[in-house]
Amino acid sequence: MRTTLTIALFLLSALLPVQIAGKHVNDSFRPGALWLDDSGRHINAHGGGIINYKGTYYWFGEHKADTTSSAMVGVTCYSSKNLLDWKNCGVALSVSDDPNSDIVRGCILERPKVVYNAKTRKFVMWFHLELKGHDYSAARYGVAISDKVEGPYRYLRSGRVNPGRYPLNYSKADSAAVCSQYDELMSLKWWTPAWNDAIVKGLFMKRDMESGQMARDQTVYIDDDGKAYHIYSSEDNMTLQIAELSDDYTAHTGRYVRVAASKMNEAPAIFKKDGTYWMITSGCTGWAPNEARMFTAKNIMGPWTQLPNPCTGPKSATTFGGQGTFVLKVKGKKDQFIFMADIWRPNHPSDARYIWLPIDFKNGIPVIQWRDEWRP
Ligand code: DGJ
């Protein structure tokens, strides 16, 4: 009896610290619910992305304040071994107190994504940056680097993409059409068929030739051959662009393509299965959810073909109330992918919730179904 009691007490004491330290608090994914970190606080890493480095997952995302969607803290980092329990590793990229800095507190800093460059052994963070006080007009990318995965990241620069460079898939005919009537086309009324046709032909891409291409919602993808690509909403959110990155992942090479011209896509999230690329995006309705879209390609630089909404079942017309941000390939599990999305709460940004759902494949096509609760 005494031995049993001793063993029971020993086992209890072994379990208690784990419970108290709050290390293992989550047994399942519960999309839309509060998701507590190791200190019992709702994870604050929105519009995020994940990398696996040396067997640990690192989740980077926007720190959201309680009353504003502007960046008051910066990019946060959490780490996990099992994707359910996350340790808060603090601020990976901090906003600056210098009023002259591009990333001064109060700027808009969204959708950060981190990649690891095996050659330089640096971690590279890309994000969407809007200058403080200028709403969404700057439409810049931002880039920062670190020697350590969890940071601190050093801000390098921000800017528009590939000034002076034409897309690889831009036809001579479209170029000639836009050039010959540029002023006329620029004065067309927005949303008319003629204006839409001019957008398809690259009117805004041409308008931004000197400054560089606009870059808003974004992600970064590393292909199997180690080449990196920056995928972003451009041309006033009318058209996506995919731009190749330099070998050190910190700059654009000048090679890029336009995708889904005039179709207004945001929130690109990309993955590859059996040599086929899949990209899930959203429409452009601000913080309000809309229907997800899906594209596929055999080559990352296109051509890309649009397929129906990958979400099925109730609320699939609004991506279950969320907007995609990333597709996570689960390490060591063949063909396990998780679609990550945010349920935005613009009136209480820090209370924005997460939707993580597994991607199923039906006849080889990605399908996402709602689950109240699931386990990896
Ligand atoms: C939708 C984007 O996907 C978000 O990242 C954010 O920029 C909001 N629009 C702002 O309205």
Side-chain angles (χ1 to χ4, degrees), residues 47 62 64 108 110-111 128 136 216-217 237 266-267 282-287 323-324 344:
E62 305 160 27
K64 291 269 188 213
I108 293 173
E110 293 181 339
R111 297 182 176 271
H128 165 202
Y136 279 84
R216 291 202 183 115
D217 277 16
N237 284 5
E266 280 190 328
S282 75
C284 300
T285 50
W287 299 112
Q323 186 183 29
W344 301 117

